[in-house]
Amino acid sequence: MLTVNAYGATSATDPLAPLTIERRDVGPRDVLIAIRYAGICHSDIHTVREEWGPITFPQVVGHEIVGEVTEVGSEVTAHAVGDRVGVGCMVNSCGECEQCLLGEEQDCLEGNIQTYASVDRDGTITQGGYSTHVVVDERFVLKVPEAIPYEAAAPLLCAGITTYSPLARWGAGPGKKVAVVGMGGLGHMAVKIAVAMGADVTVLSRTASKKDDALAFGASRHISTGEEGALKELRGSFDLVINSVSAPLDMDAYLATLRPHGALVNVGAPPQPLPISVFSLIVGGKSFAGSNIGGIRETQEMLDFCAEHGIAPETELIGADRINEAYERVLASDVRYRFVIDTATL
Ligand code: NAP
Ligand code: ZN
């Protein structure tokens, strides 16, 4: 066992605080990673505040992890000491079901083991990336291309893949009109990736405060949805809408912005239900779908795509003592566009 420094939650209401956690011994197929940077995802906040349901405390979150391999197990072939690697939202899956065999481990029929707040193979609760080290099965470790700046790479492991996957699946590309609802951590990556795929991108954000950034990321339009009648003017506009908002929205109003046979894909994960009128789907034969991160093979594809297209998240680097403040700023949408923790401060 390795005892490592971390920063975690001891209850759903207390601030996060420094603590230590145990990492398992490096097994034959394991990789020990010295974590350098960890991104702060809104899912971390939903989780520690028990908005998605009860969890076991203490809990360390963080599933946007980059660092260096410092030890490998005797049977590891994919990674070597010194490699720059990443870990996202999953650390294991059954490896045998039809979904795992397809490379869609996020949809493992046995349920994948998440990077934090999941029951691991040994019965312990997985602990996430706000820590100095992690031990992970080599199959769930990604290679982070050198072309991506180190501290900017971390958010790709969740925000990057969660937006790349539905954009790829629903065919964002030349000739397609894509709207991104909410320009936070996920949303700003959706914009950059959809632009790189060749789509015409519109940002639907509450106020004009992110307009200049949206256009700088390559969007052709920015609409302030807080303005009266803004959505009505967009009726029938988009082939694909990616909703990245962390709170419930009037989905009927957003479905109305789709062209006939268009799709609205929800990646935002508010704890509350999203009511929809069936007529918003029937009229125009529209689809309402969800999307859950992405498989390991597709995550590597996304990292390579970002390296090739020179895409990286916009980040604000913080020390561990600012994690609680960062949470409040995420909740206030006062982040441009992802906080990244320098784990040297843990
Ligand atoms: P974030 O950085 O907080 O961004 C969310 C954005 O939504 C905000 O920047 C804001 O954009 C908009 N927004 C926030 N509150 C709103 C409200 N009450 N009404 C309307 N718009 C609002 O969060 P994130 O890290 O990108 O995560 C977004 C959501 O995706 C979370 O629910 C998270 O749990 C979920 N998620 C899902 C997956 C998956 O696999 N499906 C993976 C990761 C995260 P504007 O200021 O532009 O309006
Ligand atoms: Zn996440």
Side-chain angles (χ1 to χ4, degrees):
M1 288 282 207
L2 185 65
T3 302
V4 305
N5 288 344
Y7 214 88
T10 51
S11 84
T13 49
D14 288 316
L16 273 60
L19 42 82
T20 56
I21 52 173
E22 304 289 332
R23 295 303 191 186
R24 66 171 181 261
D25 290 332
V26 177
R29 297 178 63 181
D30 284 338
V31 171
L32 174 64
I33 301 165
I35 300 173
R36 290 281 298 276
Y37 299 105
I40 294 180
C41 177
H42 205 121
S43 301
D44 303 348
I45 304 175
H46 289 310
T47 300
V48 296
R49 299 198 171 177
E50 296 191 309
E51 292 169 3
W52 287 340
I55 60 167
T56 304
F57 293 101
Q59 180 66 62
V60 174
V61 290
H63 56 205
E64 296 183 334
I65 299 169
V66 292
E68 270 140 31
V69 175
T70 54
E71 190 182 332
V72 295
S74 56
E75 293 170 20
V76 168
T77 55
H79 306 284
V81 170
D83 285 359
R84 183 158 80 146
V85 293
V87 177
C89 304
M90 300 178 284
V91 288
N92 222 326
S93 70
C94 83
E96 291 169 359
C97 73
E98 59 169 36
Q99 293 303 315
C100 287
L101 294 177
L102 284 169
E104 306 278 6
E105 300 89 349
Q106 78 282 14
D107 296 326
C108 173
L109 299 179
E110 302 289 319
N112 68 67
I113 296 177
Q114 305 218 304
T115 305
Y116 59 74
S118 252
V119 179
D120 209 344
R121 290 275 157 76
D122 59 6
T124 60
I125 303 290
T126 54
Q127 302 289 339
Y130 303 0
S131 61
T132 58
H133 295 78
V134 65
V135 177
V136 182
D137 184 299
E138 66 164 334
R139 292 174 301 130
F140 288 81
V141 177
L142 287 304
K143 293 184 184 304
V144 178
E146 293 295 326
I148 301 172
Y150 215 150
E151 68 185 65
L156 294 175
L157 277 306
C158 174
I161 182 59
T162 301
T163 50
Y164 179 91
S165 184
L167 287 167
R169 180 168 302 222
W170 273 271
K176 288 286 171 69
K177 290 193 184 303
V178 174
V180 175
V181 189
M183 202 168 82
L186 266 58
H188 93 292
M189 286 315 303
V191 174
K192 290 187 178 205
I193 292 169
V195 167
M197 288 174 169
D200 178 78
V201 180
T202 301
V203 171
L204 306 180
S205 178
R206 287 167 296 175
T207 69
S209 66
K210 300 174 182 172
K211 180 172 183 174
D212 292 347
D213 289 343
L215 300 181
F217 299 156
S220 62
R221 267 197 305 179
H222 171 287
I223 305 290
S224 302
T225 54
E227 283 175 17
E228 187 66 31
L231 288 180
K232 275 200 179 131
E233 283 177 28
L234 296 171
R235 291 180 84 86
S237 296
F238 305 115
D239 300 292
L240 174 63
V241 175
I242 304 283
N243 176 24
S244 75
V245 173
S246 48
L249 290 182
D250 175 359
M251 297 316 291
D252 294 319
Y254 285 89
L255 285 163
T257 69
L258 287 172
R259 284 175 165 166
H261 306 293
L264 191 161
V265 183
N266 219 87
V267 290
Q272 304 87 345
L274 290 178
I276 287 177
S277 159
V278 290
F279 294 102
S280 298
L281 300 173
I282 291 173
V283 179
K286 296 169 181 175
S287 303
F288 178 59
S291 191
N292 179 24
I293 51 172
I296 294 298
R297 186 172 58 223
E298 192 174 41
T299 304
Q300 190 64 56
E301 180 184 302
M302 174 277 306
L303 287 166
D304 297 340
F305 177 91
C306 289
E308 187 189 329
H309 291 268
I311 297 173
E314 307 293 317
T315 57
E316 181 174 339
L317 191 64
I318 59 166
D321 58 346
R322 291 183 57 209
I323 293 173
N324 290 302
E325 174 198 333
Y327 274 25
E328 295 310 318
R329 286 182 54 197
V330 170
L331 293 171
S333 295
D334 176 24
V335 48
R336 300 289 188 274
Y337 281 86
R338 202 56 141 183
F339 286 111
V340 172
I341 302 161
D342 179 352
T343 60
T345 62
L346 285 167

